[in-house]
Amino acid sequence: AMSMSAGGGHDSAPSDVVATASGWIALLQEPEPALKSHALNKLLECVDTLWHEVAESLPDLEAISEDLDLPLPMRQTAAAVASRVFFHLEEPSQALRLALEAGEQHFDPQTKTPYVESLITAALDAYIQERKRLLQDEDPIKEGGGANSGKASGTNEIGISMEQLQGMVYRLLDACCEEGRYDHALGIALEAQETDKLNGILMASGPDTKLLKYALNASIKVVSSKSFRQEALAVIAECLSKQLGTGKVASVDLIIVYQLLGKADSVAEVLGTLLKGSEEDALLGFQLCFDLVDSGDQAFATKVADVLKSMATEEHPDRWSQVARVLTGGFSSELALSFLHKQSHADRLIMENLKKSLEERGSGGRSSLLHNSAVMTHAYLYAGTTNDSFLRDYLDWMKKASNWAKFSATASLGVIHAGHITEAMHLLQPYLPANPGEGDGGGAVSPSGGYAEGGSLYALGLIHGSHSGSSAEKRKETADFLRTHLRASHANEVISHGAALGVGLTSMGSAELAIVNELKEVLDTDSAVAGEAAGIAIGMVLVGTGAGSPHNSLPSQGKEEIMELVLELKNYARETQHEKIIRGIAIGLALMQYQQEENADAMIEDMRTDRDPVLRYGAMYALALAYCGTGSNKAIRILLHTAVSDVSDDVRMAAVIGLAFVLFKTPERVPQLVKLLMESFNPHVRYASCMAVGIAMAGTGDAESIAMLEPMLDDMTDYVRQGALMGTALIYMQQSDSCNGRKVKSFRERLSSIISEKHQSTLTKMGAILSTGIIDAGGRNSSVSLGSRNGF
């Protein structure tokens, strides 16, 4: 009664602003519905200023809104009042539940008040969460289902039904489209992974070119689930093909979309239409063929070329032959080779001085490690330029290399002549092993030695397999040649090693069962050296097919056998005594998961939780390759967690370097992420942090990253200094001397002084020697880049 009188005292005041709501609150206790209804209407007017008083009687309001004996309008008003109170209490999800009960007249999504806007946000969040949870339930193999299910099912606990939510969200989307704000609607459809809505919105905009571009970019960069991205891209492709009738420009995006979807016949169809068109259309077609080859997917380009062959018409025969030359004839590889050869600015003095300082007494000229590094540096400096005059002039210097160094030295010829397919056999003739099975039973391989022979087979693989645009026919020839050597070389593990790597490079991504079986035979010899190469090579042949996980893109013939073979590989890795073989298989499995994103999760999870650190090391690379360039938060979280928590140094190192691969499309994020790891107590993590920054920022000359690496050049541990030198050299690739306030020059001077200092540690020297090669790689015309221009 007291509150009543207090209320009465105020009401008699002439002011029309209600200073307290206690009177109306008291009326709610009355049994008479008319009084309650009056009180509720009054409360609705003043709830926005006096919500703090109304908050105490929330239970009463909710009770009224749920009391089925009362008339509907009154229950809705009660819900509306309670909803507003919850909004002021910053409980948007509760407010939303009551607002949906209060119905349209109290809650109209079209009005622009803070109340409505915050509820709409809450509704969209709840809806997107709910959708993600539904999709996760459908797909039980996804990892993280256990951890997230508690959080995501929040909407159900509040008691909003999915139908109510969906109805509201669909109404919002339609309203958005009517007002012409298609991009807003599109964003929600992509977030909630609604393929039909996406289609509807794009069609409603009458496929608008800008909107399609936006949808395409968002699908590639923002959508985190691969399965939905494929659906979204299929929708976008459909809209783009509708536009083809009006303008040919759409074919540029269309080909990218079809390539992302892996539809070779559709790509060929678009190209075919262009080639049958006018002169200008045909030119566009040629350019798109170059882009296709540039993206590096050899097997895909070959498939497209095969389909195009069957489409060729009588008119313009030259066009069709030119396209074949671009796609599989190795035209772009020839162009790159002639450019690197003619425009090479490699400075011979660099090598001369390097050789001189290594030969001075006491500066480690006897160290085979440094000699080998110098040979590698020479290969970097002249990569692809076909200029090996330095080696020919100093053959005796080159011949100092023995054993594996000899293997690397011979293989380095393959780097210098990369893509030089016409002369490959002629160049390597002196080193190649004897042809198997000729003469009087000759061709039996001697079990010892064979380093130059093995190296030359690897070199052959590098010449033919290092450039994605090299001639398919030549590559096939070489692959067959290498396979004969592979089959014959089981007795000598060094030659097997070289042949296996060569076969891997020349049959990259072909997923041919016969080749995989031959490599598997090498593994079965249980030789550590040959087994390592065979494991990696099997990975190269099956790269990006997702073999070993249920969602894969293996060719239909031989699918079962390959799946079984991958299972055998996994088991073999757990049984074998040789760490090298385990490492080879781990890297091989990682290569198979390339770009598989969440399809690879089960496989990665399996490897990540293994007892053997080498398999966990493979899991980090598998994660880096599966989510390469996606910037996926999930992958980054796992990598960072492993980088600070794993017990094995190698695994931590691989995890940090993996960050650079996952983030290579937004490289500026890498230095920020790795900043703290640079101060780690673990030198391996510090080394990897330097390399990660170098890989991500390669060729940018970015001043901040270099400033970050500068203190690491004086680190206590020698190989961290090595990493810092190489990281800095990567960033300075293709930068002129004026870059970064002329610091490049002082960095180069620092490199040469480290090499000639007597008391520098060997590993730091090795870093300095390799950095000399990296900074001027490929005749000063090359830079490390992880993606092609089209973002593949």
Side-chain angles (χ1 to χ4, degrees):
M2 193 196 99
S3 66
M4 185 70 212
S5 64
H10 278 286
D11 277 3
S12 53
S15 128
D16 45 347
V17 178
V18 186
T20 170
S22 44
W24 309 124
I25 293 170
L27 278 182
L28 292 180
Q29 304 298 343
E30 294 291 325
E32 182 62 44
L35 283 173
K36 276 189 193 173
S37 170
H38 176 65
L40 285 170
N41 288 330
K42 286 291 186 197
L43 280 172
L44 191 55
E45 289 165 20
C46 65
V47 68
D48 283 335
T49 46
L50 298 174
W51 55 272
H52 50 92
E53 287 186 39
V54 186
E56 312 214 326
S57 55
L58 270 176
D60 302 341
L61 289 168
E62 291 212 37
I64 296 174
S65 73
E66 285 159 14
D67 183 353
L68 295 177
D69 301 336
L70 296 171
L72 183 68
M74 181 167 152
R75 281 175 21 221
Q76 287 184 330
T77 315
V81 175
S83 165
R84 302 234 162 194
V85 175
F86 273 122
F87 159 67
H88 287 294
L89 288 170
E90 295 192 5
E91 289 271 353
S93 48
Q94 292 285 1
L96 176 68
R97 171 178 64 92
L98 288 153
L100 288 171
E101 282 176 29
E104 291 279 319
Q105 78 273 25
H106 294 295
F107 171 58
D108 176 16
Q110 294 307 318
T111 49
K112 290 270 171 292
T113 59
Y115 167 67
V116 172
E117 282 181 0
S118 93
L119 288 201
I120 287 178
T121 317
L124 293 175
D125 285 349
Y127 182 62
I128 287 165
Q129 278 240 299
E130 206 39 25
R131 281 282 303 172
K132 287 204 171 125
R133 205 175 61 95
L134 286 174
L135 292 166
Q136 245 172 2
D137 291 346
E138 281 168 33
D139 195 357
I141 21 183
K142 295 245 179 75
E143 58 109 41
N148 294 351
S149 47
K151 201 170 63 199
S153 57
T155 46
N156 288 0
E157 290 152 24
I158 307 169
I160 308 175
S161 71
M162 190 59 181
E163 284 74 50
Q164 274 183 318
L165 262 180
Q166 196 164 21
M168 177 176 162
V169 172
Y170 282 4
R171 282 201 301 278
L172 274 171
L173 289 182
D174 297 342
C176 255
C177 290
E178 276 163 30
E179 291 168 24
R181 295 207 311 267
Y182 294 110
D183 44 350
H184 294 199
L186 195 74
I188 295 167
L190 284 172
E191 277 278 320
Q193 307 196 1
E194 294 259 8
T195 321
D196 310 340
K197 277 286 162 209
L198 184 69
N199 194 3
I201 294 164
L202 286 172
M203 283 309 181
S205 68
D208 173 47
T209 326
K210 274 215 207 68
L211 195 66
L212 277 170
K213 263 257 190 267
Y214 169 74
L216 179 58
N217 281 336
S219 310
I220 296 172
K221 295 199 173 101
V222 187
V223 176
S224 59
S225 131
K226 181 169 186 178
S227 45
F228 172 64
R229 182 178 319 125
Q230 303 291 56
E231 288 174 22
L233 289 172
V235 171
I236 295 169
E238 199 181 315
C239 299
L240 279 168
S241 50
K242 284 211 170 63
Q243 284 195 330
L244 268 188
T246 51
K248 290 286 186 280
V249 194
S251 48
V252 181
D253 287 336
L254 193 55
I255 285 200
I256 293 182
V257 175
Y258 281 141
Q259 193 176 350
L260 285 166
L261 290 169
K263 291 188 174 167
D265 36 358
S266 311
V267 171
E269 212 171 290
V270 179
L271 286 173
T273 334
L274 286 173
L275 291 172
K276 289 174 187 158
S278 64
E279 193 62 29
E280 201 152 290
D281 290 350
L283 287 175
L284 179 62
F286 289 145
Q287 178 55 50
L288 290 171
C289 289
F290 274 114
D291 287 348
L292 204 64
V293 172
D294 186 44
S295 69
D297 191 343
Q298 209 95 58
F300 191 75
T302 317
K303 274 186 215 148
V304 174
D306 292 346
V307 182
L308 275 174
K309 228 176 248 153
S310 62
M311 291 168 58
T313 48
E314 294 305 307
E315 48 176 341
H316 309 304
D318 51 333
R319 285 186 191 176
W320 297 99
S321 59
Q322 277 167 328
V323 163
R325 190 167 156 221
V326 172
L327 284 173
T328 54
F331 186 50
S332 62
S333 171
E334 287 164 35
L335 291 176
L337 185 74
S338 85
F339 169 80
L340 282 172
H341 174 66
K342 289 187 182 131
Q343 303 296 328
S344 166
H345 295 295
D347 184 353
R348 182 153 172 170
L349 265 177
I350 295 180
M351 264 327 282
E352 302 263 2
N353 292 340
L354 180 59
K355 177 173 166 290
K356 222 191 304 4
S357 28
L358 282 182
E359 280 168 350
E360 279 170 22
R361 246 191 76 231
S363 71
R366 302 221 158 48
S367 153
S368 68
L369 174 66
L370 294 184
H371 178 269
N372 191 25
S373 304
V375 175
M376 288 297 101
T377 287
H378 175 261
Y380 291 158
L381 285 173
Y382 292 97
T385 58
T386 70
N387 174 358
D388 52 10
S389 56
F390 182 85
L391 292 183
R392 302 204 177 283
D393 295 352
Y394 295 106
L395 261 178
D396 48 339
W397 176 74
M398 172 100 164
K399 281 194 176 131
K400 273 196 213 160
S402 59
N403 298 345
W404 280 107
K406 193 174 188 176
F407 179 94
S408 302
T410 319
S412 75
L413 281 171
V415 179
I416 296 170
H417 290 281
H420 195 195
I421 40 185
T422 42
E423 295 293 310
M425 282 306 199
H426 173 67
L427 275 167
L428 294 167
Q429 206 51 57
Y431 307 101
L432 288 170
N435 271 344
E438 281 179 10
D440 48 346
V445 183
S446 75
S448 61
Y451 291 101
E453 289 85 342
S456 65
L457 291 174
Y458 181 25
L460 218 68
L462 286 168
I463 291 177
H464 288 271
S466 61
H467 199 293
S468 61
S470 59
S471 147
E473 191 182 339
K474 281 278 194 201
R475 196 157 61 268
K476 179 101 185 65
E477 234 172 81
T478 312
D480 293 341
F481 172 79
L482 286 167
R483 279 167 67 184
T484 34
H485 278 294
L486 181 69
R487 289 191 289 269
S489 69
H490 286 197
N492 181 324
E493 55 180 19
V494 184
I495 297 184
S496 285
H497 185 91
L501 289 173
V503 169
L505 283 164
T506 46
S507 319
M508 191 96 148
S510 64
E512 265 183 63
L513 183 61
I515 302 181
V516 178
N517 277 330
E518 281 170 24
L519 289 164
K520 177 82 170 58
E521 279 165 26
V522 176
L523 259 178
D524 292 339
T525 57
D526 206 47
S527 129
V529 173
E532 179 181 30
I536 297 176
I538 291 178
M540 287 199 260
V541 175
L542 296 175
V543 67
T545 54
S549 51
H551 298 280
N552 57 35
S553 53
L554 289 168
S556 44
Q557 65 223 45
K559 187 174 200 161
E560 299 296 311
E561 288 96 323
I562 289 185
M563 291 296 279
E564 259 172 51
L565 202 134
V566 173
L567 254 177
E568 273 173 50
L569 277 187
K570 276 193 194 165
N571 296 333
Y572 189 45
R574 296 202 163 98
E575 285 157 19
T576 176
Q577 297 301 309
H578 302 296
E579 196 168 284
K580 276 199 156 139
I581 293 189
I582 308 177
R583 186 169 307 251
I585 292 179
I587 293 292
L589 291 173
L591 285 166
M592 292 172 204
Q593 300 312 325
Y594 173 62
Q595 278 190 338
Q596 286 297 311
E597 298 177 40
E598 74 265 19
N599 295 344
D601 282 350
M603 173 99 146
I604 292 171
E605 201 51 29
D606 182 37
M607 288 167 73
R608 219 183 85 199
T609 47
D610 202 275
R611 281 213 320 269
D612 187 338
V614 184
L615 278 173
R616 293 204 301 275
Y617 161 89
M620 292 307 110
Y621 279 116
L623 197 59
L625 290 169
Y627 288 98
C628 192
T630 57
S632 151
N633 285 331
K634 179 173 64 181
I636 293 171
R637 209 171 42 237
I638 298 176
L639 288 169
L640 281 173
H641 174 70
T642 313
V644 293
S645 67
D646 201 277
V647 287
S648 152
D649 286 335
D650 280 358
V651 180
R652 294 172 73 162
M653 199 154 85
V656 179
I657 290 180
L659 287 169
F661 289 109
V662 176
L663 290 170
F664 84 79
K665 288 186 180 162
T666 49
E668 55 290 343
R669 285 177 60 192
V670 177
Q672 303 162 4
L673 264 180
V674 180
K675 205 177 211 145
L676 292 172
L677 294 172
M678 289 235 176
E679 290 155 25
S680 161
F681 281 115
N682 184 321
H684 292 85
V685 174
R686 296 204 298 274
Y687 165 82
S689 312
C690 297
M691 288 310 286
V693 173
I695 292 168
M697 297 311 248
T700 57
D702 180 61
E704 274 178 49
S705 310
I706 286 175
M708 257 176 84
L709 290 175
E710 224 156 79
M712 311 302 281
L713 292 170
D714 302 315
D715 196 272
M716 308 163 330
T717 316
D718 50 4
Y719 53 86
V720 178
R721 296 200 292 274
Q722 171 189 335
L725 286 167
M726 282 159 62
T728 312
L730 280 165
I731 299 173
Y732 275 144
M733 282 175 105
Q734 273 196 318
Q735 294 295 326
S736 66
D737 274 348
S738 58
C739 146
N740 194 9
R742 302 211 169 274
K743 282 195 187 146
V744 182
K745 208 160 176 180
S746 57
F747 178 68
R748 284 174 193 272
E749 282 156 13
R750 179 163 194 168
L751 287 177
S752 49
S753 75
I754 289 178
I755 296 169
S756 50
E757 269 173 38
K758 285 212 166 85
H759 37 253
Q760 269 291 1
S761 135
T762 312
L763 283 179
T764 309
K765 276 193 175 176
M766 172 186 169
I769 294 174
L770 290 174
S771 300
T772 321
I774 294 171
I775 201 168
D776 290 331
R780 296 195 176 168
N781 279 325
S782 315
S783 167
V784 170
S785 142
L786 293 180
S788 74
R789 288 187 305 251
N790 287 359
F792 284 99

